[in-house]
Amino acid sequence: LCIYYAVWMFRRGSQDAAEQGLQAAEKVLNSGIDSTNVSSIKSRNLTPDAARKRLLGIVAAMRALTASYRGDSAEIIPHAHRALDYLPKDELAWRSTAAISLGDAHSYLGDMEAAYRAQLEALDICIAAGNLFVILYANLNLAITLRQSGRLKQAQEICQQQMHLANENGMGHTGVAGWISSIWGEVQAELNDLDVAIHQAKRGLELTEHGGDVMMLGWSYLCLMRVLVSRGDV
């Protein structure tokens, strides 16, 4: 419950509250697993030690994610590696979170080729997990890296594909669809298609404003700002 509370608060921008949730979870986990958890451990076919490591792996994945939002590559890397070491191979959703964060770390360090490779690996994990949200998220990280590397056509294709995927699955009016649109708008601006760029960027902001994810909202404002600058609309 502490971990899920931390995730919920983090997504809404309450970093201090999220940190308190993670610290509370760690306090319990570092004191050992007691008999009240035996039934849930057996249901996952995990020993008490394996169950404890799994939950510590989830905490590490969350810490890698929070460090990623701060752009702190020095914090991301050890937490992401710890998460990948501790999490079971079938814990795909949390492993994908750690892998995506690791790609972010390389991007923050300016090593775009390493970021690209790490993000491709993260995408494979996300696809195996079968979670549409994390598949979209991983693809968008890939599109951002491609844009930053000047590979604009590839970035454009990813945005088009992911918007189609979101629409096909009833997610065309969600915050993540807004993030796709915002990133797509910025790519179009760099391709000098400014009319499409401003339409996509404004649509993206409209959707992310209702999505509840602070990172996506902040990113969408940045994308719109850059498109406006490209248009000379200071």
Side-chain angles (χ1 to χ4, degrees):
L1 285 173
C2 287
I3 290 169
Y4 283 117
Y5 171 79
V7 172
W8 178 264
M9 298 308 293
F10 169 73
R11 287 294 185 193
R12 275 141 190 80
S14 300
Q15 300 285 342
D16 291 343
E19 176 59 25
Q20 288 170 8
L22 293 177
Q23 287 181 5
E26 284 178 322
K27 183 177 179 181
V28 174
L29 291 166
N30 288 328
S31 68
I33 299 291
D34 63 33
S35 60
T36 61
N37 296 309
V38 169
S39 61
S40 64
I41 292 166
K42 284 181 178 177
S43 71
R44 293 184 60 91
N45 296 316
L46 296 175
T47 65
D49 184 59
R52 177 176 172 274
K53 283 187 72 173
R54 169 184 171 268
L55 292 173
L56 284 171
I58 294 173
V59 171
M62 269 302 296
R63 290 203 182 282
L65 184 61
T66 57
S68 178
Y69 273 42
R70 296 194 306 272
D72 188 345
S73 55
E75 282 289 312
I76 296 169
I77 293 170
H79 288 305
H81 282 302
R82 187 183 192 211
L84 293 170
D85 286 344
Y86 276 26
L87 290 166
K89 295 298 183 185
D90 62 352
E91 194 71 56
L92 294 170
W94 285 109
R95 289 182 69 84
S96 66
T97 296
I100 288 169
S101 298
L102 201 54
D104 290 342
H106 292 299
S107 179
Y108 297 144
L109 291 168
D111 190 343
M112 305 314 292
E113 192 55 42
Y116 180 71
R117 290 195 302 270
Q119 286 162 353
L120 281 178
E121 291 176 13
L123 181 58
D124 286 342
I125 296 172
C126 294
I127 291 170
N131 182 312
L132 180 59
F133 178 84
V134 295
I135 290 170
L136 293 171
Y137 194 99
N139 270 294
L140 289 173
N141 273 297
L142 201 56
I144 290 166
T145 296
L146 288 167
R147 184 196 63 76
Q148 291 172 334
S149 303
R151 294 151 78 175
L152 300 177
K153 287 293 185 182
Q154 284 178 269
Q156 181 189 47
E157 287 171 8
I158 288 175
C159 290
Q160 289 173 327
Q161 291 163 0
Q162 299 317 297
M163 186 63 79
H164 179 71
L165 184 61
N167 286 328
E168 265 195 337
N169 289 274
M171 294 179 68
H173 295 282
T174 62
V176 71
W179 196 35
I180 298 169
S181 190
S182 296
I183 294 165
W184 193 354
E186 188 174 6
V187 171
Q188 291 305 126
E190 293 203 26
L191 288 167
N192 205 33
D193 189 352
L194 297 178
D195 290 339
V196 172
I198 195 68
H199 171 75
Q200 293 286 6
K202 286 183 174 179
R203 176 63 173 157
L205 182 58
E206 179 186 338
L207 291 174
T208 54
E209 279 183 333
H210 299 289
D213 188 299
V214 173
M215 186 280 292
M216 291 182 186
L217 177 59
W219 198 285
S220 294
Y221 271 112
L222 286 170
C223 288
L224 178 57
M225 210 160 54
R226 290 169 181 153
V227 171
L228 290 168
V229 169
S230 297
R231 286 166 56 94
D233 189 352
V234 177

